[in-house]
Amino acid sequence: MARTVEIGHERRLTLEEVSAVAEGAAVAVIPASRDLLAERRRQIEAYVTSTAEPAYGFNRGFGSNVRDKVDPARLKGLQVNLIRSHSVGLGDPAPVEVVRATMLLRAQSLMRGHSGVRPQVVDQLAAFLNAGITPIVPQFGSVSASGDLTPLSHVALALIGEGEVLVEGARLPTSEALSPFGLEPLELEMKEGLALNNGVQFTAAFGALATLRLERLLRTAAVATAVSAQVMLGADTPFRPDLHALRPHPGSVRLAGWIHALMAGSPLREAHRPYEIDGEIQDPYNLRCAAQILGPCWDLAERARKTLEIEINAVTDNPILLQANEQRDNGGSWGAWAGQMVEIVSGGHFHGMPVSVDIYGLLQALGILASLTNARCQRYVDADRNKGLGPQLKWPGADRDLAEQPALLAERATQSGMMLPEYATAALANWIWGQALPSHLMSLPTDSGQEDHVSMGVNVAIRAYEAMPRMAEALAVELAYASQAAALRQEMRHLPSRAGRDDPAAGKTPVDWHPVPPDARRLSPAGEAAVAAVRRHLPPVVEDRVLSGELQALGRALLDGEALEAVGPYVDLE
């Protein structure tokens, strides 16, 4: 593999490293951290086996069964039964990349050394990741409090040699998949089943990957804005740095800076900059307010990033082991146990609300971005508002000389042009809005009322992740329109102008045409590069053809960051 990501008790993962492992990178366990796990396991085993006190997770039942004392001879069976009984996932399997990210995050949490597991547990997770063995994990069944119990149990089920896994695309019983890689089922010891299925790593995995995708899409939206502003004969002045210094919301300042830089050096912008040519005073909000609209979306993404960077490096199971330094809660002192990792503390670190709130912000951002994209697409196909590009962006636009070509006009009458992609953005925006149900506000009690407030965060996270490709497709439509418009501007010899043509008596503003030479019809260098990237998947539409496959291919390319790679040599979108 091209990259190896290390995990350890003092190492902090990044979202980018989570993505790398999700896509196939290897995992290495830091030896010193492995030794630390072994020593702390020795300490807690000695403590639990030498005292008659109840120790949740070690010698007691789980959840509402917490009062059930378990015979020492049955402690291993308790852990196996926990995993089997909690593997009740429903629905389609989660994407491979999400499951791999989940496994990495669970391993990282255990590596912190506060869960009391043997290093062999982390070794098994790393071995599965490095062998490309991915547990089959049904998406639904978690309420993201007491952790993602069900999906994490399906992961643990594979570790102990049960359930099903994917290996090189083939779905196999785990019992058949391990031996070719020299692996054996993990034999769980006390507390280890509970340590594997407590925590919201499934939720966090969806959220981490969705956050990275949203950041990529918002950068792509900045590219789309810059190109749209140029081909729609918009201004660059709304994105001036000195303007945004007067209202310095971080996201808006960042987006305005990107858009301004992406538009820099545009001959087409310079061709209509003078008012006596352009005749326009203000652009519509979908262009003029783009930084103020996209900026808060970036702020939401950044807030999610900060929250998830905390979460992916946190200890999230229950109970958690702390160093026995203070006086015991029930009185007395720790005596010989002082200084060791033997204080067993029940808390709520498995609750998903801290991440649910900010993952929901990703859906808010998508809803805003989808609306903005659709507003621009509406304008592209509207001949009354697209500044001479003609109805439905039909080839070759609406230049004043078009009337001299009756054969072309007759052929255009049979064409729909790019009418329907705008419909698709309306459908996609509506679907994205429908995904924005705030599930984290709709808690339902579980476990006989013991768990009387749960976060439901995984449902939010799944929808945020699944909405990203749809938003990429909507941006693909906008950039397809922008590419078409750029081609039309090159074909047309004039720009429409309302300068000095106001006619109040006529009740409207007649359009004049201003001649523009070919070199002045080009976009900024970054804009030209972006359009070239679009045209690799979707060339200009000079006559009606099926666009579905081309738009989907462009959407996938945008989701992978292809437009950002294209403009990278010209503008640093960081």
Side-chain angles (χ1 to χ4, degrees):
M1 294 179 184
R3 183 178 181 186
T4 298
V5 173
E6 290 188 322
I7 55 174
H9 71 288
E10 294 181 331
R11 171 123 220 298
R12 289 187 61 82
L13 290 176
T14 66
L15 296 193
E16 286 74 16
E17 288 174 321
V18 174
S19 178
V21 173
E23 297 299 328
V27 173
V29 179
I30 296 174
S33 296
R34 193 180 186 282
D35 294 341
L36 178 136
L37 289 190
E39 171 57 23
R40 290 186 175 179
R41 178 67 184 192
R42 183 197 65 76
Q43 293 174 10
I44 192 62
E45 278 189 355
Y47 173 74
V48 170
T49 56
S50 66
T51 179
E53 293 183 10
Y56 181 72
F58 292 88
N59 56 23
R60 288 294 187 273
F62 309 112
S64 57
N65 296 323
V66 64
R67 296 179 181 85
D68 294 342
K69 182 178 180 179
V70 181
D71 184 272
R74 299 179 182 274
L75 292 179
K76 291 184 179 181
L78 173 68
Q79 301 298 319
V80 172
N81 287 340
L82 171 72
I83 297 306
R84 289 172 177 164
S85 67
H86 285 43
S87 296
V88 294
L90 301 170
D92 294 332
V96 168
E97 62 269 21
V98 173
V99 178
R100 286 184 58 87
T102 300
M103 297 166 72
L104 170 68
L105 299 186
R106 194 70 220 121
Q108 172 72 355
S109 181
L110 297 177
M111 285 301 294
R112 295 291 305 280
H114 291 270
S115 301
V117 302
R118 295 169 299 146
Q120 289 89 333
V121 176
V122 177
D123 291 343
Q124 187 81 332
L125 283 163
F128 270 54
L129 287 168
N130 294 341
I133 303 172
T134 305
I136 298 293
V137 180
Q139 286 198 144
F140 297 105
S142 175
V143 296
S144 301
S146 278
D148 291 319
L149 292 173
T150 291
L152 290 177
S153 291
H154 280 277
V155 171
L157 196 66
L159 301 183
I160 65 174
E162 301 182 17
E164 294 182 300
V165 294
L166 279 177
V167 180
E168 295 182 348
R171 185 167 180 163
L172 303 170
T174 308
S175 58
E176 298 177 10
L178 301 187
S179 59
F181 296 95
L183 298 176
E184 295 182 355
L186 175 69
E187 186 174 337
L188 296 175
E189 301 284 351
M190 60 180 179
K191 211 272 186 178
E192 290 178 340
L194 188 64
L196 281 167
N197 75 2
N198 261 225
V200 288
Q201 280 71 37
F202 194 58
T203 301
F206 274 111
L209 299 179
T211 298
L212 290 169
R213 285 182 164 190
L214 179 59
E215 289 177 349
R216 203 174 301 139
L217 292 179
L218 287 171
R219 288 183 169 96
T220 303
V223 174
T225 300
V227 178
S228 289
Q230 291 175 75
V231 297
M232 289 294 235
L233 309 184
D236 55 357
T237 49
F239 311 111
R240 286 172 47 164
D242 54 350
L243 175 66
H244 282 269
L246 302 177
R247 194 193 190 199
H249 291 295
S252 296
V253 169
R254 183 183 292 255
L255 267 293
W258 288 345
I259 297 166
H260 197 261
L262 287 161
M263 294 181 70
S266 170
L268 183 58
R269 167 60 182 141
E270 295 306 316
H272 68 90
R273 187 181 293 275
Y275 175 77
E276 57 268 22
I277 295 174
D278 191 290
E280 298 286 357
I281 298 175
Q282 293 182 337
D283 292 323
Y285 282 10
N286 65 72
L287 293 178
R288 180 162 37 117
C289 302
Q292 291 85 352
I293 296 168
L294 295 173
C297 298
W298 183 262
D299 290 335
L300 287 167
E302 286 298 277
R303 177 168 169 169
R305 171 181 276 272
K306 290 176 183 177
T307 295
L308 286 159
E309 285 175 344
I310 294 171
E311 186 68 21
I312 66 177
N313 294 290
V315 181
T316 58
D317 55 309
N318 181 66
I320 287 172
L321 305 185
L322 298 177
Q323 193 170 25
N325 288 332
E326 303 296 333
Q327 184 176 3
R328 302 184 67 159
D329 288 340
N330 60 356
S333 67
W334 284 99
W337 301 109
Q340 298 191 42
M341 196 68 64
V342 296
E343 186 167 6
I344 302 171
V345 179
S346 288
H349 281 0
F350 49 62
H351 202 286
M353 195 56 77
V355 294
S356 302
V357 169
D358 288 322
I359 292 174
Y360 184 71
L362 305 180
L363 281 169
Q364 292 187 75
L366 285 176
I368 295 167
L369 179 53
S371 177
L372 179 66
T373 298
N374 174 251
R376 291 193 190 140
C377 293
Q378 290 180 44
R379 189 169 178 232
Y380 269 119
V381 298
D382 186 345
D384 290 333
R385 297 189 295 152
N386 67 16
K387 294 192 174 182
L389 295 172
Q392 322 302 345
L393 300 191
K394 293 182 184 181
W395 193 265
D399 202 314
R400 71 179 188 182
D401 299 333
L402 191 62
E404 302 171 6
Q405 306 177 59
L408 177 59
L409 285 174
E411 177 59 28
R412 277 166 52 106
T414 72
Q415 305 281 325
S416 290
M418 297 186 72
M419 177 191 295
L420 262 291
E422 180 260 323
Y423 285 49
T425 65
L428 289 169
N430 179 266
W431 185 86
I432 289 169
W433 295 342
Q435 304 311 298
L437 181 74
S439 300
H440 60 304
L441 304 183
M442 302 175 183
S443 180
L444 294 168
T446 57
D447 194 26
S448 304
Q450 172 75 358
E451 299 165 7
D452 55 5
H453 188 286
V454 298
S455 77
M456 299 294 183
V458 71
N459 290 339
V460 174
I462 290 171
R463 292 199 303 275
Y465 180 83
E466 292 182 344
M468 297 298 166
R470 306 290 80 76
M471 188 63 244
E473 289 167 349
L475 283 170
V477 172
E478 181 185 347
L479 279 167
Y481 279 134
S483 170
Q484 180 79 358
L488 293 176
R489 293 292 182 206
Q490 275 293 304
E491 190 74 12
M492 297 163 62
R493 292 176 290 175
H494 302 81
L495 296 181
S497 174
R498 291 187 171 89
R501 301 287 293 177
D502 288 343
D503 184 2
K508 62 181 181 180
T509 306
V511 174
D512 200 357
W513 293 90
H514 184 83
V516 180
D519 287 347
R521 303 175 212 158
R522 295 183 61 80
L523 308 182
S524 65
E528 290 288 340
V531 166
V534 171
R535 289 176 183 166
R536 285 196 289 269
H537 302 279
L538 198 151
V541 179
V542 297
E543 60 182 5
D544 286 355
R545 67 175 190 264
V546 177
L547 296 178
S548 174
E550 295 175 40
L551 287 169
Q552 291 184 59
L554 178 56
R556 290 190 293 271
L558 297 182
L559 195 62
D560 290 339
E562 191 169 305
L564 306 181
E565 293 175 5
V567 303
Y570 306 98
V571 179
D572 183 10
L573 298 182
E574 292 296 336

